[in-house]
Amino acid sequence: MDDLITFVRARIEEDEQTARAASAVWGKEDERQARDGLSPASRAHAGRQDPAHVLRQAEALSALTNVMAPIVLGEHNGRAMQGVGMYALFGIAAIWSDHPDFREEWTP
């Protein structure tokens, strides 16, 4: 399960780094104009991928991962809780199921 936790934390970190890099240009005029040429649905989607949104999402996923990791690693009593923790981490990991390091056994 260490591999699963490492995978999730690495993907969150990658998303944070990408969002921080994008935040430097997100509000610039040329970036806004590029978004203006999108369909309403595409503009709405792009807005939900705003770097600030991605950073909030990464923070939330990190917090959840930090709570679940010790449970999955057996640092708390209760086999049932360990299963719940693993399933929660499988769900988080599934966000990046298209990543080459994702393992099929992590599919929820």
Side-chain angles (χ1 to χ4, degrees):
M1 286 298 109
D2 285 336
D3 291 345
L4 172 62
I5 295 164
T6 299
F7 173 83
V8 167
R9 287 183 171 149
R11 300 300 73 77
I12 293 169
E13 178 64 26
E14 287 173 356
D15 286 355
E16 284 179 317
Q17 289 174 359
T18 301
R20 287 185 199 291
S23 66
V25 296
W26 184 257
K28 291 185 177 177
E29 184 63 28
D30 58 336
E31 289 294 315
R32 283 195 302 276
Q33 287 175 353
R35 289 191 300 275
D36 289 345
L38 298 173
S39 70
S42 293
R43 254 194 326 278
H45 174 72
R48 282 191 291 279
Q49 301 310 310
D50 175 288
H53 172 91
V54 173
L55 290 171
R56 289 189 305 271
Q57 179 176 297
E59 185 176 347
L61 291 172
S62 289
L64 183 57
T65 300
N66 290 339
V67 168
M68 291 297 126
I71 294 169
V72 168
L73 295 173
E75 296 172 13
H76 296 282
N77 291 335
R79 198 84 164 131
M81 284 304 296
Q82 191 173 23
V84 169
M86 283 193 321
Y87 195 77
L89 287 178
F90 288 161
I92 294 170
I95 294 168
W96 301 282
S97 62
D98 60 341
H99 191 279
D101 293 338
F102 181 81
R103 297 181 189 168
E104 286 303 313
E105 66 261 24
W106 297 340
T107 303

